[in-house]
Amino acid sequence: RAKENGKGRAIEYDPELDRERQRIAELESLLKSAISNGAIEAVFQPLVSATTGVVTGLEALARWRTATGNISPEIFIPLAERCGLIDALGSHMLKTSIEHARNWPGMALSVNVSPVQLCNPEFAADVISLLQKRDFDPRRLTLEITEGVLMTNPDQARRSIDHLKKVGIKFALDDFGCGYASIGALRQFGFDRMKIDRSLVSALDQATNGADVLKATISLATALQIPVTAEGIENIRQAAILREAGCDQLQGYLIGKPMSADDISSKLQEQAA
Ligand code: C2E
Ligand code: MG
Ligand code: MG
Ligand code: MG
């Protein structure tokens, strides 16, 4: 470990830290070529109506498969954010997701957007021109964002959100309940939907007051007339509690795992039949 031994002292040379930096630099350059080669793929997880169980939308999630195994978005998204690749990655994800969603008429599409993208003053105009070029109805698109950006750069976030909402794009506040986002933020930024974080849902399995916290959170959103999606539902009991508490949309392994575009197409065909 590298240690700073007080003021003015030299930092010891640390070969381990050097190797770590090298690994990160290698990963960055791999990611860069993965983005430009189209090696970052989109999988899609169903969003279903809590009352009917019908699939009404799909959330696109990025996947990076390498020769030595899959790398989680929990690793490569923050990496892309740090090394300036997130705009390229994000725009690739938006393009591919839209291409696939064109084959799924009537389905809503949700795409995750990094706070870094939203703070880019060109982001909104880029998204709008992409939708126009591909002739994709902006009202079908929801952008999912986490609360981070609302704290760090609220002014630019608001400008981007306002611009995109004007053309009919919707916004969901992702991972609600695991950070600091307030119910106030839901209203101030004009969110169309709240997504309850998986950690709150899994807390339902513990013998605590998890259900009460969830119900209170959902009823606050409901009071603001903001619909709620619960993510990370893994068992029937969780689904029942969340439905009862007023979530109108459910998502999780119980309902459907993230799948390839082909598997989604088959699933939607079955549903239509
Ligand atoms: P998220 O947007 O909150 O997505 C939900 C995550 O929970 C996904 O993980 C999904 O596979 C996982 N999940 C869904 N249902 C269940 C369940 O029932 N149980 C469990 N244990 N997990 C479930 P994933 O795909 O690994 O993505 C992780 C995060 O990485 C996402 O969280 C999102 O914040 C980010 N991410 C993924 N794709 C993109 C992207 O294209 N752009 C950006 N900016 N971020 C992305
Ligand atoms: Mg999401
Ligand atoms: Mg989430
Ligand atoms: Mg999450």
Side-chain angles (χ1 to χ4, degrees):
R1 273 302 93 114
K3 269 190 205 138
E4 190 147 16
N5 306 315
K7 256 192 190 158
R9 298 259 194 95
I11 297 169
E12 270 175 67
Y13 173 70
D14 182 340
E16 184 49 41
L17 193 65
D18 238 28
R19 277 194 289 273
E20 180 63 23
R21 285 205 191 97
Q22 204 186 330
R23 272 196 293 272
I24 293 173
E26 277 165 17
L27 204 57
E28 280 179 17
S29 86
L30 280 174
L31 181 60
K32 193 170 184 174
S33 35
I35 296 166
S36 50
N37 299 338
I40 305 285
E41 286 172 46
V43 291
F44 298 88
Q45 188 176 28
L47 296 155
V48 308
S49 154
T51 46
T52 64
V54 166
V55 180
T56 54
L58 301 145
E59 178 179 358
L61 295 159
R63 291 292 178 265
W64 184 13
R65 299 189 176 91
T66 73
T68 52
N70 298 347
I71 300 173
S72 160
E74 313 267 14
I75 306 280
F76 69 79
I77 297 289
L79 180 72
E81 286 172 345
R82 279 200 309 271
C83 67
L85 290 169
I86 193 68
D87 291 321
L89 197 163
S91 117
H92 168 74
M93 282 298 293
L94 199 58
K95 275 181 204 153
T96 23
S97 312
I98 285 171
E99 262 339 288
H100 289 299
R102 286 158 71 93
N103 303 321
W104 307 323
M107 288 292 140
L109 173 68
S110 292
V111 177
N112 293 285
V113 162
S114 155
V116 179
Q117 290 173 271
L118 203 69
C119 288
N120 178 345
E122 281 153 33
F123 175 69
D126 287 350
V127 171
I128 292 168
S129 89
L130 175 71
L131 296 183
Q132 277 166 350
K133 242 183 259 161
R134 312 273 164 136
D135 194 24
F136 192 86
D137 185 349
R139 289 168 302 182
R140 282 177 67 190
L141 182 65
T142 297
L143 300 180
E144 296 194 2
I145 58 177
T146 51
E147 84 285 345
V149 65
L150 311 177
M151 314 290 218
T152 54
N153 196 348
D155 297 333
Q156 184 55 50
R158 185 187 303 275
R159 275 194 290 275
S160 298
I161 293 173
D162 287 350
H163 189 170
L164 290 161
K165 276 178 72 79
K166 274 206 189 91
V167 302
I169 292 171
K170 295 185 207 50
F171 281 84
L173 185 53
D174 206 351
D175 298 350
F176 192 91
C178 80
Y180 304 98
S182 65
I183 288 283
L186 272 174
R187 185 145 66 175
Q188 281 161 34
F189 291 88
F191 280 98
D192 302 281
R193 180 168 285 280
M194 169 173 118
K195 293 190 80 173
I196 296 246
D197 192 59
R198 190 168 84 217
S199 60
L200 263 70
V201 173
S202 59
L204 289 175
D205 295 345
Q206 269 94 62
T208 56
N209 53 1
D212 295 331
V213 172
L214 255 173
K215 282 177 192 159
T217 310
I218 294 166
S219 47
L220 279 167
T222 309
L224 293 170
Q225 294 177 310
I226 294 168
V228 182
T229 303
E231 62 176 30
I233 298 176
E234 295 184 346
N235 60 58
I236 296 172
R237 189 175 155 269
Q238 292 169 346
I241 295 173
L242 289 158
R243 207 179 279 123
E244 165 77 9
C247 287
D248 74 330
Q249 192 174 60
L250 308 180
Q251 183 181 26
Y253 292 172
L254 176 72
I255 293 130
K257 290 200 170 180
M259 289 174 249
S260 71
D262 285 348
D263 288 347
I264 292 288
S265 295
S266 322
K267 196 181 166 73
L268 293 177
Q269 258 156 29
E270 274 168 40
Q271 176 169 291

